[in-house]
């Protein structure tokens, strides 16, 4: 009889994706071990580490140690402008930083250096191929040279993960044999299609996307603000269409955390744990029901 396979699709969201660690920890404790994992962006990093054989506790330990390394400092996440502050001096400083980033975006291909990103991937993942993983894994990227989505499931892991996390404008695109890859979140924020295509019988999606607040006319200060907000809406609509076919969805409440706020990792992990703990009874019932409904199909 064909095995009943559980697929886990870990969504993208930068620092918010660290909630996946909390989700994995609770799933582990409840004996729900995915047979297939897919990831987008931060979901690709966490997913690859998990499929390599690291448990949630080990992933969290590695993350905590990473925050004290020179590699993290070289990423310069602290240079990203923060939200408006009540402090006048801080507001002026943030505006200067924002102007500088706009300037750099017009003269550089990305804000972050490729060498820093290569070091980050090397810190979290060994130099192995997909075939070396203990659990089947795939990650999603966009090939902007050929205008299509790519589900990566063979070759070097570091190359695929780096492609999946490469946020356009922030991180340099990854060039491989005539292809130019960027963050897969533009097409599959939660890679549910990918995990279903890999043969799972029950799909669990983890949504760690940002909240999209309603905004007033005063919030739209320039063309960048309008373009950015419109893009957020488009991605949100696409995500809602894609998650309709998920067998189960987990949505840790991390939408208010910025993609670059890695220092809030504990908050994200706890949010992932609480969301999963609250939904474990329902999740177990859904898995049991789907396993029963597919029993005959899996026999024949």
């Amino acid at each position: 009889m064909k095995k009943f396979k559980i697929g886990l699709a870990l969504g993208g969201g930068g620092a918010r994706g660290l909630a996946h660690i909390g989700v994995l920890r609770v799933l582990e404790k409840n004996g729900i071990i995915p047979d297939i994992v897919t990831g987008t962006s931060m979901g690709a990093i966490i997913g690859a580490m998990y499929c390599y054989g690291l448990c949630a506790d080990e992933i969290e330990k590695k993350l905590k140690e990473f925050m004290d390394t020179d590699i993290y400092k070289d990423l310069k996440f602290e240079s990203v402008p923060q939200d408006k502050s009540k402090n006048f001096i801080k507001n002026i400083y943030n505006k200067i930083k924002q102007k500088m980033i706009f300037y750099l975006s017009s003269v550089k291909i990305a804000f972050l250096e490729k060498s820093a990103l290569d070091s980050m991937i090397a810190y979290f993942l060994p130099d192995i191929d997909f075939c070396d993983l203990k659990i089947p894994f795939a990650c999603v990227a966009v090939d902007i040279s050929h205008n299509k989505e790519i589900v990566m499931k063979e070759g070097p892991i570091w190359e695929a993960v780096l492609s999946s996390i490469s946020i356009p404008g922030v991180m340099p695109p990854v060039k491989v044999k005539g292809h130019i890859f960027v963050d897969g979140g533009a097409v599959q924020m939660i890679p549910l299609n990918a995990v279903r295509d890999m043969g799972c019988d029950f799909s669990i999606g983890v949504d760690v996307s940002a909240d999209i607040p309603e905004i007033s006319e005063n919030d739209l200060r320039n063309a960048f603000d309008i373009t950015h907000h419109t893009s957020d809406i488009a991605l949100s609509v696409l995500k809602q269409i894609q998650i309709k076919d998920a067998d189960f969805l987990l949505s840790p409440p991390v939408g208010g955390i910025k993609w670059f706020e890695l220092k809030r990792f504990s908050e994200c992990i706890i949010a992932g744990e609480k969301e999963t703990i609250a939904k474990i009874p329902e999740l177990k019932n859904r898995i049991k029901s789907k396993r029963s409904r597919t029993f005959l199909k899996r026999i024949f």
Side-chain angles (χ1 to χ4, degrees):
M1 183 173 68
K2 181 188 173 212
K3 181 183 178 182
F4 181 81
K5 293 183 179 180
I6 296 174
L8 181 64
L10 303 177
R16 296 186 299 275
L18 299 175
H20 296 319
I21 299 172
V23 171
L24 287 167
R25 177 176 289 135
V26 176
L27 292 179
E28 287 173 356
K29 289 181 178 178
N30 284 273
I32 301 174
I33 307 301
D35 301 285
I36 303 165
V37 178
T38 57
T40 294
S41 199
M42 182 62 82
I45 297 179
I46 303 298
M49 293 173 72
Y50 185 76
C51 291
Y52 174 63
L54 298 181
C55 69
D57 289 347
E58 291 169 326
I59 296 174
E60 181 178 7
K61 181 175 182 292
K62 203 164 183 66
L63 172 65
K64 287 180 178 179
E65 293 170 348
F66 172 73
M67 301 303 294
D68 292 324
T69 65
D70 289 336
I71 301 173
Y72 172 73
K73 294 173 185 175
D74 288 343
L75 289 170
K76 301 176 183 177
F77 285 129
E78 312 304 327
S79 299
V80 180
Q82 308 290 318
D83 289 336
K84 290 181 180 179
S85 168
K86 293 181 180 180
N87 185 298
F88 176 76
I89 299 300
K90 284 187 177 181
N91 273 333
I92 295 297
Y93 177 58
N94 286 338
K95 286 180 180 179
I96 292 172
K97 285 201 295 184
Q98 191 172 46
K99 294 278 187 184
M100 180 59 70
I101 289 175
F102 285 166
Y103 169 73
L104 289 174
S105 68
S106 68
V107 297
K108 293 179 64 177
I109 197 168
F111 176 63
L112 300 180
E113 297 295 334
K114 183 179 184 300
S115 58
L117 295 168
D118 288 343
S119 296
M120 179 185 74
I121 295 298
Y123 179 88
F124 286 110
L125 292 166
D127 187 9
I128 57 172
D129 284 7
F130 278 84
C131 60
D132 298 315
L133 298 175
K134 296 179 180 179
I135 298 174
F137 171 73
C139 59
V140 180
V142 178
D143 182 354
I144 58 174
S145 58
H146 294 82
N147 308 321
K148 61 181 181 180
E149 165 192 307
I150 298 292
V151 178
M152 298 179 163
K153 46 189 174 183
E154 60 182 26
I157 283 290
W158 70 267
E159 193 172 76
V161 170
L162 187 58
S163 299
S164 186
I165 69 170
S166 294
I167 303 170
V170 177
M171 304 173 184
V174 178
K175 300 176 183 179
V176 183
K177 298 177 181 178
H179 300 273
I180 304 175
F181 298 118
V182 298
D183 193 318
V187 290
Q188 280 201 64
M189 183 63 76
I190 309 169
L192 287 157
N193 291 339
V195 82
R196 283 194 297 267
D197 290 344
M198 290 180 71
C200 78
D201 299 290
F202 187 93
S203 60
I204 304 171
V206 186
D207 179 14
V208 290
S209 55
D211 293 335
I212 304 180
E214 293 184 3
I215 60 176
S216 67
E217 184 177 346
N218 293 331
D219 295 318
L220 301 174
R221 299 176 295 275
N222 50 51
F224 176 81
D225 288 341
I226 296 172
T227 302
H228 181 69
H229 191 68
T230 303
S231 175
D232 284 345
I233 294 171
L235 289 174
S236 178
V237 172
L238 177 61
K239 181 193 73 177
Q240 293 304 320
I241 294 171
Q242 293 176 341
I243 64 176
K244 285 181 179 179
D245 294 329
D247 290 299
F248 201 83
L249 186 68
L250 294 167
S251 302
V254 291
I257 295 174
K258 303 299 182 185
W259 66 266
F260 51 84
E261 294 183 307
L262 293 179
K263 287 188 174 180
R264 297 176 69 179
F265 66 88
S266 293
E267 186 179 341
C268 293
I269 293 172
I270 291 171
E273 290 178 344
K274 288 183 176 180
E275 165 73 359
T276 312
I277 289 170
K279 292 186 176 178
I280 274 291
E282 182 185 359
L283 175 57
K284 287 182 175 180
N285 287 335
R286 293 271 195 95
I287 291 174
K288 182 179 180 181
S289 176
K290 187 74 177 283
R291 183 181 279 117
S292 297
R293 293 201 312 272
T294 61
F295 179 74
L296 291 177
K297 181 180 178 181
R298 287 183 289 113
I299 288 180
F300 300 106

